Amino acid sequence: MSQKDNYSIMVHGGAGALDNVKDEKTAVRYIESIRQILEHGREVMKLGGSALQAVEACASLLEDDPVFNAGCGSVLNEQGKVEMDAGIMDGRDLSAGAIASVSNIANPVQLARLVMTESEHVMLISEGAKRFAEHCGMDLTQDEYFLTPDRVEQLKEAKRSHKMILDHDETDTGGEDQKYGTIGAIARDPSGNLASATSTGGIVNKRMGRVGDSPIVGSGVYADNETCAVSATGYGEDFMRTVISKTISDFIFMKGMNAEEATHAGIEYLSRKVKGRGGVIVIDNEGNCSSGFTTKKMIHGWIEKGGETKVRFK
Amino acid sequence: MSQKDNYSIMVHGGAGALDNVKDEKTAVRYIESIRQILEHGREVMKLGGSALQAVEACASLLEDDPVFNAGCGSVLNEQGKVEMDAGIMDGRDLSAGAIASVSNIANPVQLARLVMTESEHVMLISEGAKRFAEHCGMDLTQDEYFLTPDRVEQLKEAKRSHKMILDHDETDTGGEDQKYGTIGAIARDPSGNLASATSTGGIVNKRMGRVGDSPIVGSGVYADNETCAVSATGYGEDFMRTVISKTISDFIFMKGMNAEEATHAGIEYLSRKVKGRGGVIVIDNEGNCSSGFTTKKMIHGWIEKGGETKVRFK
């Protein structure tokens, strides 16, 4: 392997919530989407793109695919509205950008990137984030783009059953058309730079203004060239309380673990401390890829050190 | 010392931004406020209150004193409005509550506590947080309560000089009436339970919707009975990028450090990684109190293991 082929990329499309996808056709649909998006990430790397460019590109494509709960496929809150959260982080200098509770933005991860590079802040929310998007010249997208018939029906079902549909198996309503979860992308480029991006529509029927872990630096998203890149998916509150991505990074920084050991230790920590529900993808500073989850399944895929594209839906 | 007197409490009223308070009268005003609030915390402990009750009570009193940048003394954003952030965490089970960008709430820390105990979420923001407050029967406070003449003048000055007034010395406008900073309280009760609370009005002339570290679990606020309680104050973005409170907790968890060692390591980490500006207060699981800051001063005080009340304004 030449040095320029030494890149690693991982993406995920949610944990647990997809446990009920049982027919092969639907499963193939997910697997093919993940595979194509990874191949796109490979092209970015082959063209000399940075880890940051790769994760922004891959996360944007995941946001554009309505089967995933982010961007155009975002679930609806208690008011039937879309409120999206996203975060992105550059491991070179720990610069980070995050947005929460935004609507009418087709690619929240791109707005998070603008917060990182074009503002003096890390996190902007709600109307303030939308104003910033307009200030940056970003197009606002019509509500109709997000209000797919599937999502409207899903919210009705959640309201009928008086519950939020959480991003894990136990509270799943069981329909095979329940497509939700977080999306995320992490990468290490041949120069050794790490980056992470996470984006979500949150939880079906969630309380207005609820923010999960996805845009929280250290919880749903983290990247530090010295340690690793992490993206998490699952029941966000569990990840926020354990600050899981930073915990995994610290296992590498303070205990000298590699990606696999730190992922294992992180999942054990998540389970022991809060019985956490969900999963993580991790690439360490040597390009090793690892994943772990407490749910039955997590749809994810990876290219490790320029190797084959692999997708796992379990 | 009897077991029931083995409590520790620390509070802070901001770092760096108070560097320009040079006249003794003003300094005494700060010191006396911190001292009285610590004595109140001592009473909570003597009456058998929990660490959580102590930090909520102390943080509320800090919010009620207009000299501090939180609650009624909150600074104004670019639109001349108050947008407050607060977070609280219970080290017993890592339960946490946070609110961001809320207005018309006299004691944001109390709303954060309600998010923790009365909702299924960790973080609620903006209108959603305000609605939740009303849902919980919390009184809304008039704008006038927050719009003190000092704050209006301070914003005008910031706009004249075309800058945000950050929470540290280099960008301070130099006036002795510039009262801003974050407030925070941490405690360990005689049963060994730890808790932390942090609250702020943010940065003068900040962009609408900007969220700093105060409500971010792992950045501005963290508590875990297994390790320590931490509250941070300073330039929030630096603390978010380094997830400083969780980092300090991990120094104890993964490296076996005590409060003093972990604080020292945390401040070194903050400086090395992002040249971070601000400070932290830390109580470890044995009740040892420690503080560290990269600014010239941090106003803070403590009662260590039931001992004397000490206040430091440097």
Side-chain angles (χ1 to χ4, degrees):
Chain A
M1 179 180 64
S2 77
Q3 180 55 31
K4 77 173 177 53
D5 291 325
N6 190 9
Y7 53 81
S8 295
I9 312 170
M10 293 190 89
V11 302
H12 70 73
L18 304 172
D19 289 1
N20 291 290
V21 177
K22 291 179 184 78
D23 71 305
E24 200 173 336
K25 194 177 150 198
T26 310
V28 166
R29 169 77 179 78
Y30 282 104
I31 290 165
E32 279 312 304
S33 181
I34 294 285
R35 185 180 300 279
Q36 282 173 27
I37 289 165
L38 281 168
E39 289 303 334
H40 187 88
R42 188 193 292 276
E43 287 306 308
V44 172
M45 289 296 193
K46 282 190 169 176
L47 291 167
S50 67
L52 187 67
Q53 287 171 317
V55 300
E56 184 180 358
C58 290
S60 296
L61 289 170
L62 287 156
E63 288 175 336
D64 292 344
D65 187 334
V67 302
F68 301 111
N69 173 21
C72 92
S74 293
V75 298
L76 307 181
N77 74 2
E78 59 178 356
Q79 298 191 306
K81 291 184 177 164
V82 162
E83 288 189 318
M84 297 170 290
D85 306 336
I88 192 165
M89 189 157 183
D90 186 341
R92 286 178 288 202
D93 59 0
L94 304 189
S95 59
I99 52 104
S101 263
V102 299
S103 51
N104 305 106
I105 300 292
N107 289 108
V109 72
Q110 293 174 17
L111 180 53
R113 165 92 188 251
L114 287 172
V115 171
M116 176 170 85
T117 55
E118 306 303 320
S119 89
E120 59 289 344
H121 297 314
V122 166
M123 188 173 200
L124 292 177
I125 62 174
S126 301
E127 279 304 302
K130 202 193 267 192
R131 278 186 191 217
F132 179 72
E134 288 180 284
H135 168 79
C136 292
M138 210 171 200
D139 287 331
L140 295 188
T141 306
Q142 298 284 314
D143 284 344
E144 290 67 32
Y145 174 74
F146 302 95
L147 295 173
T148 62
D150 277 5
R151 293 303 182 206
V152 174
E153 182 50 43
Q154 184 188 44
L155 177 63
K156 277 187 194 160
E157 170 58 28
K159 284 190 179 285
R160 264 196 296 272
S161 57
H162 294 288
K163 66 181 177 189
M164 295 182 302
I165 300 178
L166 303 177
D167 190 11
H168 85 298
D169 42 350
E170 286 170 16
T171 50
D172 196 304
T173 57
E176 292 189 358
D177 58 349
Q178 305 294 353
K179 303 147 202 136
Y180 41 88
T182 310
I183 67 93
I186 57 177
R188 178 187 181 277
D189 63 34
S191 304
N193 296 314
L194 291 163
S196 173
T198 307
S199 179
T200 188
I203 295 174
V204 182
N205 200 22
K206 67 182 176 184
R207 199 179 281 280
M208 179 189 173
R210 177 261 186 183
V211 176
D213 66 308
S214 303
I216 306 295
V217 174
S219 294
V221 59
Y222 203 71
D224 179 354
N225 277 7
E226 212 179 339
T227 56
C228 62
V230 186
S231 175
T233 174
Y235 190 73
E237 279 74 6
D238 297 342
F239 295 142
M240 293 166 89
R241 292 164 59 202
T242 51
V243 200
I244 194 64
S245 295
K246 181 61 159 95
T247 303
I248 288 171
S249 170
D250 283 344
F251 275 126
I252 294 176
F253 173 56
M254 298 181 191
K255 301 283 255 185
M257 295 183 183
N258 64 21
E260 192 177 344
E261 293 161 342
T263 302
H264 183 78
I267 291 293
E268 188 275 331
Y269 183 86
L270 181 73
S271 299
R272 178 172 69 83
K273 299 292 272 187
V274 300
K275 296 186 176 66
R277 298 151 286 179
V280 293
I281 53 174
V282 181
I283 298 177
D284 67 22
N285 54 1
E286 294 184 346
N288 301 304
C289 294
S290 179
S291 63
F293 42 99
T294 64
T295 42
K296 286 184 208 151
K297 293 178 185 174
M298 177 169 75
I299 173 110
H300 62 295
W302 64 93
I303 297 168
E304 188 172 31
K305 299 178 183 176
E308 282 177 51
T309 302
K310 296 186 179 170
V311 183
R312 190 168 290 173
F313 189 174
K314 65 179 183 187
Chain B
M1 179 181 64
S2 78
Q3 179 56 35
K4 77 174 178 49
D5 291 326
N6 191 8
Y7 54 81
S8 294
I9 312 170
M10 293 190 88
V11 302
H12 69 75
L18 305 172
D19 289 1
N20 292 292
V21 177
K22 289 177 185 80
D23 70 308
E24 200 173 336
K25 195 177 149 196
T26 309
V28 167
R29 168 79 181 80
Y30 283 104
I31 289 167
E32 278 312 303
S33 181
I34 293 286
R35 185 181 299 279
Q36 284 173 28
I37 288 165
L38 281 168
E39 288 305 333
H40 187 87
R42 188 194 292 276
E43 287 306 308
V44 172
M45 289 297 190
K46 282 189 169 176
L47 292 167
S50 67
L52 188 67
Q53 287 170 318
V55 301
E56 185 180 358
C58 290
S60 295
L61 289 170
L62 288 157
E63 287 175 337
D64 292 343
D65 187 334
V67 302
F68 300 112
N69 173 21
C72 93
S74 293
V75 298
L76 307 180
N77 74 3
E78 59 178 357
Q79 298 190 306
K81 291 184 178 162
V82 161
E83 287 188 320
M84 297 170 291
D85 306 337
I88 193 166
M89 187 157 185
D90 187 341
R92 286 178 289 204
D93 60 359
L94 304 190
S95 59
I99 51 105
S101 264
V102 297
S103 49
N104 304 106
I105 301 292
N107 289 109
V109 73
Q110 293 174 18
L111 179 54
R113 165 93 187 251
L114 287 171
V115 171
M116 177 170 85
T117 55
E118 307 302 319
S119 88
E120 59 288 345
H121 297 314
V122 166
M123 189 173 199
L124 292 177
I125 62 173
S126 301
E127 277 305 302
K130 202 194 269 191
R131 278 186 190 217
F132 179 71
E134 289 180 283
H135 169 77
C136 293
M138 211 172 200
D139 288 331
L140 295 188
T141 306
Q142 298 285 312
D143 284 343
E144 289 66 31
Y145 174 74
F146 302 95
L147 295 174
T148 61
D150 276 5
R151 294 304 183 206
V152 173
E153 183 51 42
Q154 185 186 43
L155 177 63
K156 276 187 195 160
E157 171 56 30
K159 284 192 179 283
R160 264 196 297 272
S161 57
H162 295 288
K163 65 182 174 186
M164 296 182 304
I165 299 179
L166 303 178
D167 190 10
H168 86 298
D169 43 350
E170 286 170 15
T171 52
D172 197 304
T173 57
E176 291 188 358
D177 58 347
Q178 306 293 354
K179 304 146 204 136
Y180 40 87
T182 310
I183 67 92
I186 57 177
R188 178 186 181 276
D189 63 34
S191 304
N193 296 314
L194 292 163
S196 172
T198 307
S199 179
T200 189
I203 295 174
V204 182
N205 199 23
K206 68 183 177 182
R207 199 179 282 280
M208 180 188 175
R210 177 260 185 184
V211 177
D213 66 308
S214 303
I216 305 296
V217 174
S219 293
V221 60
Y222 204 71
D224 179 354
N225 278 6
E226 212 179 340
T227 56
C228 63
V230 187
S231 174
T233 174
Y235 191 72
E237 279 73 7
D238 296 342
F239 295 143
M240 295 166 87
R241 292 163 59 202
T242 52
V243 201
I244 193 66
S245 295
K246 182 61 159 98
T247 302
I248 288 171
S249 171
D250 283 344
F251 274 125
I252 294 175
F253 173 57
M254 299 182 189
K255 302 283 257 184
M257 294 184 185
N258 63 22
E260 192 180 342
E261 293 162 341
T263 302
H264 184 79
I267 292 292
E268 187 276 329
Y269 183 86
L270 180 72
S271 298
R272 178 173 67 85
K273 299 293 274 188
V274 300
K275 296 184 177 68
R277 297 150 288 178
V280 293
I281 53 174
V282 181
I283 298 177
D284 67 23
N285 54 1
E286 295 184 344
N288 301 304
C289 294
S290 178
S291 63
F293 41 99
T294 63
T295 42
K296 286 183 205 152
K297 293 178 184 173
M298 176 168 75
I299 172 111
H300 63 295
W302 64 95
I303 296 169
E304 188 172 32
K305 299 179 181 175
E308 282 176 50
T309 302
K310 296 185 180 172
V311 183
R312 190 167 289 173
F313 189 176
K314 63 180 182 186

